[in-house]
Amino acid sequence: MKFDIEQILTEAHSKQKILANTPIELILDVLHNLGQAWKEGMPYYKEALQKLPNEISFSKEMIEETLKIIPELLNKNTLKQRLNAELGDYKILDTFQKTSNFDGPLKAFPLGTILHVSAGNVFLGCIDSLLMGLITKNISLLKLSSQNQMFPELFQRSFLEIDREKILCDKFYILHWKGGDQKFEAPLKEKVNAILAWGGEEMLNSYSQGLGKGVRLLDFGPKISIQVLSQKGFEQTPIEKLASAIARDVCLWDQQACASSQNLFIEEGIDEKKLIQALSKAFEDFPLSRGEIDQDEQVEILKEEFRGRYSETMEGGAFSKGKNYLIHLETKPLLRPSPLNRSLIIKRYKNLLDLSLQLSPFSFYLQSCGYALSSDEKESVLGELGRIGMKRFAPMGQVMDGLVGAPHDGRHVLRDLVSLVGDETKLELSSFLVEVANQVPFYQKSMKGKNSSILENFPFCDASILSKHPIFEDQSFIKKDLEPGYVFSSGGTSGKSKYAFYSEKEFQETASMLAQGFKAQGLKPGQTVANLFAAGNLWSSFLAVDKALALCGAIQLPIGALGEVSTIISYLKRFQPQAVFGLPSLLVNYANYCQSQNITLTIPHVFYAGEHISKGAKDFLNQVWQTKKFSSAGYASVDAGPIAYQCEHCGQGEHHLFSKQVYMELDGEEAVVTSLFRKCMPIIRYKTGDRVTMINETCPCGSLEPKFILQGRLDGQINIWSCRLLIADIEKSFSDLKLTIPLYQLRLKTIKSGEALIEKLVIIVENFKGDKTTEEKIKRTIYENSRDVKATHTLDTILSMIELKWVPENTIERVARTGKIKLILDER
Amino acid sequence: MNSFQATNLLLKSDPFDFSPEAQALFRESFKEMALHHYKAHPFFKRVFDDAGLQPSQIHSEDDMSHVPPIMVHLFKEKEFISVPEKDIVLTLTSSGTGGQKSQQRLDQMSLDNVKLLAYKIHERLGLTGQENVNYLCFTYDPKVASDLGTAFTDELLTSFTGRNEVYYAIQWNKIKNDFELNSDGVVETLKRFEKEGKPVRILGFPAFLYKILKDYKIKLKLPPLSWVQTGGGWKNLANEEIPKHEFRRFIFDSLGIPEENCRDLFGMVEHGIPYVDCTLGNMHIPNYARVYVRSPYDLSILPEGETGLLHFICSYNHSYPCISILSTDYGSVRKCSCGLDGQILELKGRAGVSKHKGCAMKASELLK
C-alpha cells in the first residue's frame, strides 16, 4: 500500500472541524444505515463470509457468528446507549448539556485525529475501535494488522456505498505498513492527537516512545482472563449447564480475545473427574467449530499435551484431549497462560486467600473473570479479585457477551477519546430571564421595551393566564424547537383546564428533585413502596413519583388508583409496602374499605400530595393502618414544577426551597415562583395561591436551602359574616374535640331568614357518627378558635349560622377526573 | 565395564557407518537403554505405553520410527532422572536464551559416553589432532560457568587437540555481577594469535564472532590449519543472522580461514549428540542417533525434504530419560553429496510461540 503519510495527516487534520460540527444524530444515522447493509444475507455479509475464511483462521461458523454482531454494533440505539453509558448523555457531543452529578452543563469535544493500531485476533475488533473514533467525532487512521486486511477494506467499501453524502466515509483512512517502520510511525506519533493501540506488549512499547507533545496514548495490552468455580457454585448449578458455560467462554473466538478464559480455578473438594468429563463433552458439543491452527500454535498445544500427560502420571493432575480441545488439570499453583485455541488449564484453590495469592503476581495482566459462585460468596470473591487487579466480572457463560457501555480494562474508552469541557455557570436567574424573553412568544410580547434581565419587570402569571393559552391551540408559552417531552394537564379542581409541557430532561430533573425530598423524608433504597397516584389522563403525579422512586432505589408497586378498591387493597395486603404515595382523600377511602371489611393492613409511612391532608385524615390512617409517619411528597404544582421539599426535621408546613432550581419571591404573603430549569415552557413569577412565611434558621438536617412555612392556600380562608374564617381554625376545632374526621366539605349558602339574607356555613362530614351534642360542641369550638369571628359576633349568632350534616361514606361529591373533594363550595 | 554392551560397542564404532550391522547395533543400543528408562522412569514408561510399544519390541528401523518422544520443554520444566541422585556426576544447563534453562544430568557412564561419541564424530570429520592450538572460545568461561552446556562443549572440543592457550570471550564481570562479551579482548587476542603462528581454533556462538569482526572491521590472516567451529545459533542476534555460505565467506575474508575449515555444529543440552558440518557445510546425522521429521499436528513422519518438528533419538544416556525427544525446532533431513553416508540435518527455525495475534496474553509475554 503506497501512501504519503504526511499528506494524509494534513488532510485528516483539515477535516477535524467538519466532523466536530456534524450532529451526532446524523453520524449515528449513517452508522445505523451501514449496519443494515451488513445484515445477515446482505451482499456485504455474503462477500465477507465468502472471503474471510481464506484470510483468517476462524472457522466459517465462527466468522458467521461474528458478522451477525455488526448490525447490532452499529444500531443507533445501541450506540446511543454506549455513548450515554460513558458520557452521561450522547448529546453532549453536540452542545453543552446538563448531565447528572454536575451542576453546570458539559460538552464533549473530540481529540482531533486518532491513530488506531488494531490487533488481529478478532477481526471485528479493528472496526469497533474505528467506530469508537467516529462516534466521538474523531478523524480516524486505522492501521491494519497483517492478519486482517480484507475485512476492513470491505467495510470501507460498504461505507462508501451507504454514506453517499460523505458524512463519515471520508473521515477515516485505512492504512497498512509493516509494524515498526519509522517512516510511517514517527510522523504519526508526533502529529496525531491520540493513539488507540490494541495488541502485544512489544507493539505498545514501541508506540509509547517518541510521542509528540500532548499525544494521548490509550494502550490496551495483552490480558489474561480466568474463571472461578467454587464448591457451592459447582453444587448449585447442573453440571451440564456449568460445563457448557465454561466451554462457551473458552471456545468463542478460539480463545484469541483478551476476555477468553485461559485458566479455570476450582475450589478444592469439587469432583474433578466429573467436572472434566462434563467439560470434555461440552467442548466436543460446542456448536462452532475451531478454526485452523498454524504449526506454531499446534506446537504450543502439543507442549501442553505433554505437560498434561506428565502431570497426570507424575503429579496427580488430570488431562483430557479431543479433536478440538485440551483440558489440563495442573496441580502446581499460580495462573499460567494456556496455549489458547480451546486449551483450558484448570487449577485448584483452597480458599479465597489462596486464590488471591495465585493470581496477584499477575495482577497487571488480569482482565475478565467468569464466575460460578453462591450468592453469599460473590461479594467477597469479586471484592478481593477486583482489589488485586481483575478488571471485569461476569457469570460463567456470559463473559464474551459484554454489556453495552461497560468499561474496557477498567476505563471508559469513549471518555478518553474526548475532552469534557464544563461551562461552570450555575442556573442563573437573569440570563434565564433574558433567554425566555427572547424565545417565548408570550414574554417576547409582554417584555417588549423592558429590561428582561430584571425579574420585577416580568408580569405575574397565574392559573387563569395559563388557562387562556392551552398549548394544543396556542403556543404562546412554548419556546421554539420543542424537545421531546410530556404534556400534562394541570387543571381540575381550581378552574379551566390548563396544560404544562416538560421536556424529557426537565421531567428527569423534576424526578431528581422529588427524589431528593423523598430521601430527606427517610425513604431508603430497597424499601417497598406503592405508587397509588392515578396514572393516565395527562396526569403527572404517577409518572413523576415513578421516576423519582427509581432514583431512590425503591422496589415499586405501580398500583395506581384506577383499579377496584378491593384489588388495590389486595395488592397492598400481599406486598406489605413500607410506604405508599397517594392522594389523601383516596387513601382515606382505601382505609375506609379496610375498616369496613375488617382487613388488617399496616402501612408505616404515607407520602401524600395533590391536596391538603387534614389532621383527621392522619388520625384515621393511623388508626386503621397504624401509619406512624406522614410526609409531604413535595411542595409542587404541575404548572410551576417542584418548589420545595420537607426533611425529617421540618415541622408542620415547613419546607426547604429547591433554591438551585427555583427562585421564590413573596407578593404579600403569597409565594411567587420562577422555575429556572423549565426552559421549554417557562413560567415566570407564578402566583401559587399559597401563603408562606420565610424562616431564618439553620435546619439540623444540614441543608442550606432556605426554609419557609407553608401556611395554606390563600383561598384556604372563608370570607363570611364579614369575617375571615380560616380552614385551619375549623380543623383545629375537630382536633381540640379529639374527633377523627377524615373527610369533610364546607358549603357556603345564602338563605332567606324572614326578610334578611343570611350567610350560612354547612359543614358536611362524611362517614362519622355525629349527633346534636357533637354538632353543638363543634360550633362552639369553631367560634372559640376563630379570632376574627369571635371578635365580631356573639356565640348565639354564630351557632345559628353553622349547620353540620352527617353523611355516609363516599357520598360527598368528588371531582370526576381526579377523585378529589372540593373543600369549599361557595353557593352564595 | 557396564552391562550396556551394545552401547559400549556402538560408541566404539564408526559414527558414519550405516551398514545394516551398524544400524542394528544402534537399535540394540537404544533398546537396552530404553528398557532401562522404561523400568526406571514412570513417565518414560507412560509415553511408551500410550504408543503401544515396549522397548523389547524394537527390531527394525521401522520399529525405531514408532518410538514415541518426550517433548523437550518438559526437560526444562520438570526434574527427570533414571538413576539414584548420588550417581549424578555432572549437571549441565543450557544457556537459557528462551527464558527457561534445560538440564542434562549425567552419571559417570553417560558422561563418558557423551565425551566418547563427541570425540568419535569429530575425529571422523577430521577435526581432531595432536598439534598445539590456540583457542578462542566465544562462550562462558568454564571456570565460572562450569555447568553450562556450551562451556562444557567448548571445554570438550578444546580437548580434541593439544592446547596452547584458551581464551574465553564471555567473561565474568564482578562489578556488574554478570557475564559480558570482552570484544576488545577478543580483537587483541586474534591479533596476538595471528602473530604467534600456531593454528587457531575459534569456537562458539557465531553471532558474537560475526559482530566483532564486522564492528572492528577485522582483516587478518590466521595461521594455516586454523578452524572456526560455531555452535549454539545466533541467539538474541537472530535478526542479524546471515546464511551459512555467506558467513563462511565472511570468515575467509576477515580471518583468512578457508571456507571448508569453517564448520557449524548443532547440539542440544538435552540430547548431547553433536551434528557437525561436513566440508560442504552440512550437518551430518551419525549412527549414534536417529532424526525423524514429524508433523506437529499428528506426529506422523514427513517425507525426506519436508519440514516439520525434529524428533531426536540417541542411546548413550543412562541417567537421563532423554533418549527420544521431540524438539521445538523445525527442520528437515536429506542426503549429502560430500561422501559421508547417512542423512544431514537442516534447521528451519524455532517452533511454537506463534506471532502475536491480539490481546490474549501468551506465555512468552509473561516469561519476559
Side-chain angles (χ1 to χ4, degrees):
Chain A
M1 194 183 279
K2 280 188 177 174
F3 53 86
D4 180 341
I5 195 67
E6 293 285 0
Q7 192 184 331
I8 285 178
L9 277 165
T10 308
E11 196 178 303
H13 290 333
S14 73
K15 292 176 181 172
Q16 287 178 0
K17 192 174 174 184
I18 301 168
L19 186 55
N21 291 333
T22 304
I24 185 66
E25 290 281 357
L26 191 55
I27 290 172
L28 300 183
D29 280 341
V30 171
L31 292 170
H32 185 87
N33 292 338
L34 182 67
Q36 297 306 297
W38 278 89
K39 281 170 90 169
E40 189 178 357
M42 299 295 274
Y44 289 112
Y45 176 96
K46 281 184 183 168
E47 191 177 342
L49 192 56
Q50 189 198 345
K51 290 180 176 172
L52 273 169
N54 302 324
E55 188 182 68
I56 57 176
S57 59
F58 291 127
S59 67
K60 194 171 178 183
E61 299 98 301
M62 191 78 79
I63 290 169
E64 202 161 5
E65 283 304 301
T66 313
L67 288 173
K68 284 178 190 167
I69 297 171
I70 297 175
E72 181 58 24
L73 187 69
L74 297 172
N75 180 283
K76 190 172 181 178
N77 290 332
T78 310
L79 291 172
K80 279 185 187 173
Q81 198 183 342
R82 193 169 175 180
L83 285 164
N84 287 342
E86 297 209 23
L87 304 177
D89 182 346
Y90 73 100
K91 292 193 198 102
I92 70 168
L93 286 154
D94 282 351
T95 55
F96 281 93
Q97 298 275 332
K98 175 89 174 65
T99 57
S100 54
N101 303 323
F102 178 59
D103 282 347
L106 278 180
K107 186 173 177 189
F109 290 89
L111 298 182
T113 302
I114 292 179
L115 170 65
H116 304 256
V117 184
S118 67
N121 51 336
V122 180
F123 62 93
L124 212 51
C126 64
I127 298 302
D128 192 46
S129 186
L130 173 67
L131 187 62
M132 287 192 262
L134 293 177
I135 60 176
T136 47
K137 301 188 179 181
N138 286 291
I139 306 289
S140 292
L141 312 178
L142 176 65
K143 180 198 179 297
L144 299 183
S145 83
S146 54
Q147 296 136 328
N148 184 12
Q149 302 207 4
M150 188 285 288
F151 181 72
E153 281 160 11
L154 182 60
F155 193 76
Q156 186 177 38
R157 183 142 57 83
S158 68
F159 229 128
L160 287 168
E161 188 189 313
I162 299 300
D163 183 17
R164 295 277 165 91
E165 306 289 318
K166 295 195 174 173
I167 305 298
L168 292 179
C169 69
D170 64 345
K171 307 298 185 305
F172 69 93
Y173 300 81
I174 290 183
L175 309 168
H176 177 65
W177 65 86
K178 192 174 178 334
D181 189 336
Q182 289 307 303
K183 188 172 73 177
F184 298 102
E185 292 179 6
L188 283 165
K189 286 194 277 191
E190 176 69 28
K191 292 178 182 170
V192 295
N193 301 95
I195 298 172
L196 191 50
W198 312 82
E201 277 192 341
E202 204 178 318
M203 180 274 285
L204 296 177
N205 285 339
S206 138
Y207 276 99
S208 68
Q209 289 152 20
L211 295 175
K213 197 173 179 185
V215 176
R216 195 180 284 185
L217 175 66
L218 305 170
D219 53 338
F220 296 91
K223 295 288 171 193
I224 191 163
S225 295
I226 63 150
Q227 296 165 316
V228 176
L229 172 62
S230 72
Q231 170 104 40
K232 285 182 183 171
F234 179 74
E235 286 161 1
Q236 287 174 0
T237 321
I239 183 85
E240 295 79 13
K241 193 178 165 194
L242 186 67
S244 297
I246 293 169
R248 186 173 191 274
D249 289 342
V250 173
C251 294
L252 269 179
W253 294 303
D254 297 343
Q255 260 177 319
Q256 300 294 335
C258 39
S260 304
S261 292
Q262 298 196 35
N263 285 189
L264 165 64
F265 283 84
I266 60 171
E267 191 173 8
E268 283 184 1
I270 285 173
D271 186 338
E272 294 165 351
K273 196 173 168 191
K274 195 173 159 191
L275 175 66
I276 291 174
Q277 271 176 359
L279 278 174
S280 302
K281 184 168 186 321
F283 276 101
E284 292 280 6
D285 294 346
F286 190 71
L288 309 177
S289 54
R290 187 171 71 176
E292 282 182 21
I293 289 176
D294 68 28
Q295 284 200 345
D296 288 325
E297 289 171 321
Q298 178 56 33
V299 168
E300 293 298 328
I301 293 172
L302 204 52
K303 283 184 185 175
E304 195 61 39
E305 181 184 334
F306 273 93
R307 281 188 200 107
R309 289 165 71 191
Y310 183 91
S311 156
E312 192 170 63
T313 314
M314 308 291 289
E315 298 171 336
F319 170 73
S320 171
K321 181 192 147 191
K323 196 175 162 218
N324 283 333
Y325 73 90
L326 181 152
I327 300 166
H328 173 198
L329 168 65
E330 187 176 52
T331 52
K332 197 175 153 188
L334 294 179
L335 177 147
R336 184 167 64 79
S338 103
L340 310 184
N341 295 298
R342 307 189 184 186
S343 307
L344 180 65
I345 297 171
I346 304 177
K347 300 269 182 174
R348 297 175 184 138
Y349 71 94
K350 291 188 186 69
N351 49 39
L352 180 55
L353 175 65
D354 179 39
L355 176 63
S356 176
L357 289 172
Q358 292 197 50
L359 294 173
S360 48
F362 312 94
S363 61
F364 177 74
Y365 296 102
L366 296 175
Q367 198 215 50
S368 298
C369 173
Y371 59 82
L373 305 163
S374 67
S375 53
D376 60 320
E377 297 168 319
K378 188 175 156 181
E379 192 175 343
S380 57
V381 174
L382 269 55
E384 174 60 12
L385 299 191
R387 186 190 69 78
I388 63 167
M390 196 67 73
K391 298 290 187 294
R392 193 172 156 251
F393 297 98
M396 269 180 191
Q398 297 175 29
V399 171
M400 306 307 286
D401 300 337
L403 288 180
V404 174
H408 189 87
D409 288 355
R411 63 198 197 202
H412 278 303
V413 185
L414 298 183
R415 212 177 282 175
D416 284 340
L417 295 180
V418 294
S419 291
L420 287 174
V421 178
D423 174 3
E424 297 180 30
T425 54
K426 294 174 187 162
L427 283 173
E428 202 261 321
L429 181 62
S430 61
S431 58
F432 170 75
L433 295 174
V434 171
E435 190 181 324
V436 170
N438 286 334
Q439 293 188 355
V440 179
F442 177 85
Y443 291 109
Q444 279 172 340
K445 198 172 165 186
S446 59
M447 292 303 293
K448 202 167 184 179
K450 296 179 190 167
N451 182 346
S452 60
S453 66
I454 298 170
L455 183 66
E456 288 71 21
N457 289 343
F458 278 74
F460 286 119
C461 180
D462 61 19
S464 65
I465 295 173
L466 290 177
S467 62
K468 285 179 194 157
H469 302 277
I471 59 175
F472 54 87
E473 58 187 32
D474 176 348
Q475 307 228 325
S476 296
F477 276 92
I478 304 288
K479 78 163 192 178
K480 277 189 276 180
D481 305 325
L482 209 55
E483 291 171 28
Y486 300 83
V487 171
F488 294 118
S489 162
S490 61
T493 50
S494 53
K496 282 178 70 181
S497 287
K498 322 187 282 317
Y499 300 93
F501 179 81
Y502 285 71
S503 72
E504 172 63 39
K505 270 195 323 196
E506 289 168 356
F507 198 55
Q508 197 59 42
E509 178 71 19
T510 301
S512 161
M513 293 160 78
L514 292 176
Q516 185 186 341
F518 299 169
K519 288 177 197 165
Q521 285 282 7
L523 193 72
K524 299 274 186 303
Q527 284 191 330
T528 304
V529 182
N531 184 349
L532 300 179
F533 284 109
N537 279 325
L538 300 179
W539 291 328
S540 63
S541 303
F542 184 89
L543 288 178
V545 168
D546 176 85
K547 279 180 184 275
L549 286 176
L551 294 173
C552 293
I555 306 214
Q556 295 201 53
L557 304 174
I559 296 171
L562 300 179
E564 292 290 326
V565 177
S566 58
T567 311
I568 291 170
I569 297 302
S570 74
Y571 287 136
L572 297 177
K573 180 81 183 156
R574 207 172 297 161
F575 290 100
Q576 303 280 331
Q578 282 126 324
V580 297
F581 281 71
L583 199 64
S585 47
L586 289 179
L587 295 177
V588 167
N589 267 356
Y590 303 150
N592 274 330
Y593 179 83
C594 290
Q595 197 174 45
S596 67
Q597 300 296 315
N598 281 327
I599 295 170
T600 311
L601 192 60
T602 303
I603 296 176
H605 196 170
V606 163
F607 284 86
Y608 60 90
E611 62 186 12
H612 171 69
I613 188 163
S614 66
K615 169 93 174 41
K618 285 183 184 174
D619 292 344
F620 182 64
L621 293 176
N622 170 262
Q623 184 189 318
V624 181
W625 287 346
Q626 290 82 50
T627 305
K628 296 281 181 288
K629 192 168 177 183
F630 293 89
S631 301
S632 160
Y635 173 34
S637 80
V638 180
D639 294 325
I643 297 167
Y645 67 96
Q646 288 191 303
C647 71
E648 287 188 296
H649 301 277
C650 284
Q652 179 70 30
E654 289 182 5
H655 286 79
H656 285 283
L657 181 70
F658 288 116
S659 64
K660 283 181 189 165
Q661 296 96 340
V662 180
Y663 186 84
M664 182 186 274
E665 54 185 324
L666 295 182
D667 179 32
E669 290 182 300
E670 186 178 8
V672 176
V673 295
T674 302
S675 270
L676 302 181
F677 74 96
R678 291 199 51 211
K679 292 186 173 177
C680 289
M681 185 177 171
I683 308 293
I684 312 287
R685 305 190 86 192
Y686 183 76
K687 286 172 76 71
T688 61
D690 295 318
R691 288 194 302 123
V692 301
T693 309
M694 299 307 293
I695 318 172
N696 188 19
E697 66 179 38
T698 309
C699 185
C701 76
S703 169
L704 298 175
E705 305 278 28
K707 268 178 105 172
F708 60 87
I709 303 173
L710 185 59
Q711 304 279 17
R713 295 286 299 166
L714 276 171
D715 54 8
Q717 60 186 32
I718 305 163
N719 293 318
I720 193 168
W721 314 311
S722 306
C723 303
R724 194 170 66 174
L725 174 62
L726 301 180
I727 306 293
D729 295 339
I730 296 172
E731 289 205 353
K732 184 170 184 306
S733 305
F734 295 155
S735 180
D736 290 349
L737 294 168
K738 302 199 176 352
L739 301 175
T740 302
I741 295 180
L743 300 174
Y744 65 95
Q745 188 177 55
L746 306 175
R747 292 194 176 192
L748 310 181
K749 299 180 177 218
T750 312
I751 57 167
K752 267 195 167 180
S753 177
E755 288 301 304
L757 269 181
I758 58 163
E759 288 179 313
K760 193 153 192 176
L761 168 65
V762 182
I763 305 174
I764 302 171
V765 179
E766 191 177 283
N767 197 25
F768 185 88
K769 287 176 185 165
D771 53 19
K772 279 285 170 197
T773 316
T774 312
E775 181 175 355
E776 183 72 13
K777 283 182 184 169
I778 290 173
K779 288 179 186 176
R780 287 175 179 275
T781 316
I782 289 172
Y783 179 79
E784 287 301 319
N785 282 336
S786 174
R787 201 170 51 186
D788 203 11
V789 173
K790 196 176 174 183
T792 315
H793 298 282
T794 63
L795 174 63
D796 286 345
T797 312
I798 292 306
L799 288 176
S800 67
M801 289 187 198
I802 301 177
E803 179 187 344
L804 275 101
K805 282 190 178 174
W806 316 105
V807 298
E809 179 190 336
N810 237 348
T811 51
I812 297 178
E813 190 184 347
R814 265 66 171 176
V815 177
R817 286 189 336 114
T818 62
K820 291 182 185 178
I821 294 173
K822 281 190 175 177
L823 183 59
I824 303 164
L825 279 183
D826 195 344
E827 296 169 346
R828 292 174 291 183
Chain B
M1 195 65 182
N2 60 50
S3 57
F4 294 88
Q5 291 177 11
T7 304
N8 294 335
L9 282 175
L10 176 74
L11 298 183
K12 285 174 187 152
S13 68
D14 178 352
F16 297 103
D17 176 3
F18 286 93
S19 65
E21 296 76 19
Q23 288 189 40
L25 184 58
F26 173 74
R27 291 196 298 273
E28 279 308 307
S29 168
F30 179 80
K31 194 155 80 179
E32 66 186 14
M33 206 54 85
L35 206 55
H36 158 69
H37 290 301
Y38 186 84
K39 288 176 186 164
H41 202 284
F43 187 61
F44 189 91
K45 179 176 184 299
R46 154 103 191 236
V47 170
F48 267 71
D49 289 348
D50 283 355
L53 184 72
Q54 301 282 308
S56 58
Q57 293 171 325
I58 297 169
H59 302 296
S60 64
E61 284 299 310
D62 184 55
D63 293 338
M64 283 302 302
S65 71
H66 289 97
V67 167
I70 295 175
M71 209 160 175
V72 69
H73 68 291
L74 282 187
F75 293 97
K76 302 179 207 290
E77 297 171 4
K78 310 287 180 188
E79 290 277 329
F80 281 90
I81 190 167
S82 293
V83 294
E85 183 74 37
K86 65 178 174 54
D87 291 350
I88 298 300
V89 294
L90 180 65
T91 298
L92 297 173
T93 57
S94 73
S95 49
T97 46
Q100 285 177 298
K101 294 184 177 185
S102 38
Q103 281 194 343
Q104 168 75 286
R105 309 203 66 196
L106 298 168
D107 60 4
Q108 193 59 53
M109 184 203 309
S110 307
L111 179 61
D112 292 345
N113 285 349
V114 77
K115 284 182 174 176
L116 178 58
L117 69 86
Y119 184 81
K120 294 287 286 181
I121 290 168
H122 284 82
E123 181 189 39
R124 183 67 169 75
L125 291 168
L127 286 159
T128 57
Q130 298 304 314
E131 71 280 16
N132 278 342
V133 167
N134 278 326
Y135 280 94
L136 167 59
C137 297
F138 279 92
T139 53
Y140 303 91
D141 185 342
K143 287 195 286 295
V144 186
S146 58
D147 62 344
L148 276 179
T150 50
F152 168 78
T153 305
D154 287 356
E155 175 83 350
L156 185 65
L157 294 180
T158 58
S159 70
F160 295 161
T161 66
R163 284 183 212 170
N164 185 50
E165 181 188 340
V166 183
Y167 182 86
Y168 291 99
I170 304 177
Q171 297 163 356
W172 184 252
N173 184 323
K174 282 182 186 167
I175 299 163
K176 292 182 181 170
N177 202 30
D178 200 359
F179 285 101
E180 67 175 12
L181 178 66
N182 185 348
S183 303
D184 293 337
V186 167
V187 173
E188 186 272 319
T189 302
L190 279 170
K191 288 177 180 169
R192 188 158 49 78
F193 284 175
E194 183 191 31
K195 283 180 192 160
E196 275 185 30
K198 289 192 175 69
V200 176
R201 287 203 177 193
I202 301 171
L203 307 178
F205 301 126
F208 295 155
L209 174 62
Y210 176 73
K211 190 166 168 45
I212 290 178
L213 296 180
K214 197 173 148 202
D215 290 351
Y216 286 79
K217 298 185 173 59
I218 301 293
K219 290 286 175 197
L220 298 173
K221 174 81 178 143
L222 292 181
L225 299 176
S226 291
W227 291 74
V228 169
Q229 192 169 4
T230 53
W234 287 67
K235 304 287 180 197
N236 297 331
L237 297 170
N239 55 345
E240 293 186 33
E241 185 173 354
I242 57 171
K244 194 186 275 183
H245 67 274
E246 280 183 33
F247 181 76
R248 284 156 66 111
R249 164 59 57 184
F250 176 75
I251 292 297
F252 174 73
D253 292 342
S254 305
L255 300 173
I257 295 175
E259 287 181 42
E260 63 270 22
N261 284 9
C262 183
R263 307 284 181 97
D264 194 22
L265 173 153
F266 171 73
M268 298 164 68
V269 162
E270 301 87 353
H271 180 52
I273 304 288
Y275 297 88
V276 184
D277 275 351
C278 65
T279 51
L280 298 179
N282 293 322
M283 291 168 178
H284 277 256
I285 302 166
N287 187 42
Y288 302 156
R290 294 290 180 271
V291 179
Y292 298 103
V293 178
R294 294 191 182 272
S295 159
Y297 295 100
D298 58 5
L299 298 188
S300 61
I301 292 183
L302 298 174
E304 190 173 284
E306 280 194 24
T307 298
L309 283 182
L310 294 173
H311 173 194
F312 294 100
I313 292 178
C314 64
S315 65
Y316 74 90
N317 204 320
H318 175 255
S319 49
Y320 205 52
C322 62
I323 59 174
S324 172
I325 60 172
L326 185 65
S327 76
T328 48
D329 290 299
Y330 290 125
S332 60
V333 292
R334 65 172 175 87
K335 297 279 190 304
C336 176
S337 58
C338 73
L340 281 174
D341 279 345
Q343 291 175 307
I344 59 159
L345 177 63
E346 292 186 305
L347 297 170
K348 304 283 173 66
R350 297 302 289 263
V353 193
S354 54
K355 287 214 170 51
H356 210 291
K357 277 185 180 176
C359 51
M361 159 161 287
K362 294 205 163 57
S364 55
E365 286 175 294
L366 209 56
L367 292 172
K368 277 176 186 168

